[in-house]
Amino acid sequence: MVKSVKGKPIITLQDITFSYEIEPGWNETVLQGMNMEIEQGSFVAILGHNGSGKSTLAKLMNGLLLPHDGVVTVNGNDTSEQERLYEIRRTVGMVFQNPDNQIVGTSVEEDVAFGLENLGVEPTEMRNRIDEALRAVHMEAYAKQEPHRLSGGQKQRIAIAGVIAMRPSVIVLDEATAMLDPQGRREVCSLIKRLNRDEGITVVTITHFPEEALDADRVIVMQRGSVYLDGPPREIFSRTEELQSIGLDVPHAVRLRHHLVRDGVELPPILHQEELVEELCKLLLKT
Amino acid sequence: MNFLQNFAIGQYVPRDSFVHRLDPRSKLLFLLFFTLLVFWANNWFSYGLLLCFLFMVTAASRIPGVYLLRGLKPVWFMLVITVILHLLITKGGAVYVQWGWFSIEQAGVQQAIYMAFRLGALVTMGALLTLTTTPMDLTDGLERLLAPLKRFNVPVHELALMLSIAMRFIPTLLEETDKIIKAQKARGVDFETGPLIQRAKHMIPIVIPLFVGAFRRAEELALAMEARGYRGGEGRTRLRQLHLSWRDTLLAGIAILLGVLMGWWRE
Ligand SMILES: Nc1ncnc2c1ncn2[C@@H]1O[C@H](COP(=O)(O)OP(=O)(O)O)[C@@H](O)[C@H]1O
Ligand SMILES: [Mg+2]
């Protein structure tokens, strides 16, 4: 089920150190000696509790923040090179947590146009790209709508449309589902999965919900500004106790299996609910 | 959701009319020209001409008169004061009413009517502009008309963007205000009764979270804009293009005609 991780690295972080200046002369180090490579076409989920530096990491990936030490490259371009910055921001699109605070346009299509206008795309070409992007997120019927009339999930899909209209290679989502209801969360999750699978867009999604990491190729767990665990979800979530010890949750099925195994039921490692059901049925037939 | 579902930014009334389809730049320029004409007019003929024209534009815009009257509402008070002041202060001509030192004379009546007309005509024309033009078209038109001022370092693009972002966030902030008010009411804060000072004090727990929220929003929005490659007006293209059409040429013709007639009929 797990896709093989393919392609060459598109984002690389080497020995990154980053700190925020709280007051002159007083810095709070958030990331320390971090190394990471994001492969082209992969679907990466980043977990970690509040304050572990996830958002900071995301902002380093498209040059919104620059590392104090170390190098971040996107497609081989160093994010600290000012003249490459806009190329980098086009390559790495970003979706933020609060749907209301990232919509600039007074209508859906104008918001999708915002990034294209910044790039200097011609109006006719812009028209095509907007229509295409809105179709991709299934929002073409809302082109003229005012954003405040949309649901949270729809707003996030518009934000994603605004990013994919710029034809990025990577989309970074910083807790883009955190403020949504379950319906909106499902919409956004299935959309980013589809973009990764069908369009080959690299997805880096930062999330609080372990369920959202199940379909990723790779899960990275952050703890106190460095990479704590890194691997395919099956491997990461099998370390249930380790995750729980740093205050992270695991998917429901994984937790249930963990409790069952502890109580003496023999079960192989599983990831999805369906797998657990299947294994339990097998067990039932055997006895 | 709530009342905001039906909230519209600005007071645009969608209709398919000649006036609606004019380019916002033409409408803005015409409003300016009309303002000049209104102050240039100085006799019954010229005022009558402008009044006729105003009726014609209203008819052509297919905007129901009620909307225009509603537009006059905020200036009613000023209108009445102007009329009263002119009636009392301006002297000259035949005396209509005399009561001690108090008199109403012909010049006063005339001036009162002229001034009331000026004010009313300008407000009506302005209302017609905002009723027939979407706020976005208005900011676009303004940005393009003022573009030459960029040479004198006037931040035209930034001002226009500011205006459109403000419009984008009006419903969001209203919604937030509504939420905060409800939250405070749930805690037993009474906004409706009590002395004025008491009520004003109760506004503080609404205003402060609103401001804090607005600053947080602004910060996040700035970051999101940067992430989408915003770097000022330089080298930026626009989705919405403004096009002049035969209608705008016609409007220019009408403007010239109006100007010539005025020049002829005024004293
Ligand atoms: N703009 C900022 N100024 C100062 N400190 C910050 C700023 N942003 C984040 N921090 C601090 O950096 C740490 C990591 O924050 P962040 O990257 O947002 O973590 P996460 O997204 O995982 O919650 C936190 O301790 C936070 O307080
Ligand atoms: Mg965060």
Side-chain angles (χ1 to χ4, degrees), chain A residues 230-246:
Chain A
D230 183 352
R234 201 167 287 273
E235 187 189 313
I236 300 297
F237 289 126
S238 69
R239 305 162 86 152
T240 309
E241 265 160 12
E242 229 172 309
L243 287 174
Q244 284 175 339
S245 75
I246 61 164

Side-chain angles (χ1 to χ4, degrees), chain A residues 20 22 28 30 49-57 174-175:
Chain A
Y20 288 105
I22 311 282
E28 186 187 323
V30 176
H49 59 74
N50 278 334
S52 57
K54 306 182 300 294
S55 297
T56 308
L57 175 67
D174 187 1
E175 303 199 35

Side-chain angles (χ1 to χ4, degrees), chain B residues 116-132:
Chain B
F117 174 80
R118 281 181 180 170
L119 200 60
L122 289 183
V123 172
T124 309
M125 210 48 158
L128 272 170
L129 175 71
T130 53
L131 286 165
T132 62

Side-chain angles (χ1 to χ4, degrees), chain A residues 103 105-112 142-147, chain B residues 136:
Chain A
I103 293 181
T106 35
S107 75
V108 164
E109 59 176 16
E110 284 197 43
D111 188 66
V112 178
Y142 296 84
K144 306 277 179 202
Q145 188 75 268
E146 288 173 12
Chain B
M136 286 72 89

Side-chain angles (χ1 to χ4, degrees), chain A residues 59 86 89 96 98 100-103 105-106 110-111 114-115 117-118 120-121 123 126 148-149 166, chain B residues 4-5 7 136 164 168-169 171 217 220-221 223-224 226 228-231 235-241:
Chain A
K59 286 172 199 160
Y86 295 100
R89 300 226 168 116
F96 297 90
N98 191 328
D100 278 320
N101 299 354
Q102 54 185 319
I103 293 181
T106 35
E110 284 197 43
D111 188 66
F114 182 74
E117 292 178 330
N118 293 338
V121 175
M126 215 188 282
H148 70 268
R149 291 169 206 258
M166 296 168 80
Chain B
L4 283 164
Q5 283 293 310
F7 178 83
M136 286 72 89
S164 86
R168 144 77 186 85
F169 274 91
R217 279 181 200 289
E220 287 183 20
L221 186 72
L223 202 67
E226 228 184 303
R228 287 166 76 181
Y230 181 70
R231 50 181 141 170
R236 213 164 174 264
T237 49
R238 299 303 302 272
L239 170 66
R240 297 146 59 72
Q241 298 290 316

Side-chain angles (χ1 to χ4, degrees), chain A residues 26-231:
Chain A
W26 175 26
N27 289 357
E28 186 187 323
T29 303
V30 176
L31 300 179
Q32 190 104 54
M34 170 167 274
N35 285 291
M36 188 181 287
E37 281 187 353
I38 306 290
E39 265 115 14
Q40 187 132 35
S42 62
F43 190 130
V44 180
I46 299 180
L47 302 175
H49 59 74
N50 278 334
S52 57
K54 306 182 300 294
S55 297
T56 308
L57 175 67
K59 286 172 199 160
L60 283 164
M61 287 181 175
N62 71 347
L64 285 175
L65 295 176
L66 296 176
H68 295 177
D69 268 321
V71 183
V72 181
T73 67
V74 173
N75 250 345
N77 296 320
D78 189 334
T79 57
S80 65
E81 282 175 41
Q82 188 64 36
E83 59 277 21
R84 293 298 174 90
L85 201 53
Y86 295 100
E87 175 60 20
I88 287 169
R89 300 226 168 116
R90 197 193 62 73
T91 311
V92 181
M94 195 161 284
V95 181
F96 297 90
Q97 179 174 14
N98 191 328
D100 278 320
N101 299 354
Q102 54 185 319
I103 293 181
V104 191
T106 35
S107 75
V108 164
E109 59 176 16
E110 284 197 43
D111 188 66
V112 178
F114 182 74
L116 299 174
E117 292 178 330
N118 293 338
L119 291 178
V121 175
E122 289 307 314
T124 43
E125 163 77 1
M126 215 188 282
R127 190 72 263 167
N128 295 337
R129 288 218 214 167
I130 292 168
D131 293 343
E132 201 177 287
L134 285 177
R135 271 197 301 276
V137 302
H138 299 315
M139 288 291 286
E140 61 270 40
Y142 296 84
K144 306 277 179 202
Q145 188 75 268
E146 288 173 12
H148 70 268
R149 291 169 206 258
L150 304 176
S151 73
Q154 288 175 326
K155 283 180 197 161
Q156 287 303 58
R157 275 151 64 198
I158 293 308
I160 294 174
V163 166
I164 60 180
M166 296 168 80
R167 308 242 164 99
S169 311
V170 186
I171 301 183
V172 178
L173 301 107
D174 187 1
E175 303 199 35
T177 59
M179 294 179 74
L180 305 183
D181 55 13
Q183 164 73 22
R185 201 178 305 151
R186 266 196 303 277
E187 286 169 12
V188 171
C189 284
S190 72
L191 171 60
I192 57 178
K193 255 176 250 171
R194 187 155 50 78
L195 289 175
N196 176 252
R197 197 184 53 221
D198 300 345
E199 315 282 332
I201 297 176
T202 310
V203 171
V204 177
T205 177
I206 294 170
T207 177
H208 253 31
F209 303 99
E211 262 78 12
E212 288 179 11
L214 285 178
D215 294 315
D217 300 323
R218 177 178 169 199
V219 177
I220 295 171
V221 178
M222 301 256 310
Q223 164 76 346
R224 287 215 206 91
S226 55
V227 176
Y228 183 68
L229 294 171
D230 183 352

Side-chain angles (χ1 to χ4, degrees), chain B residues 177-222:
Chain B
T177 315
D178 191 47
K179 254 189 230 159
I180 296 172
I181 289 180
K182 279 187 184 138
Q184 300 292 4
K185 270 188 183 165
R187 290 176 195 163
V189 180
D190 180 6
F191 295 107
E192 269 101 38
T193 56
L196 196 62
I197 295 190
Q198 185 91 38
R199 268 186 284 167
K201 265 189 192 156
H202 286 162
M203 294 307 285
I204 294 173
I206 296 174
V207 173
I208 288 180
L210 199 62
F211 266 85
V212 172
F215 277 111
R216 196 197 53 237
R217 279 181 200 289
E219 212 169 306
E220 287 183 20
L221 186 72

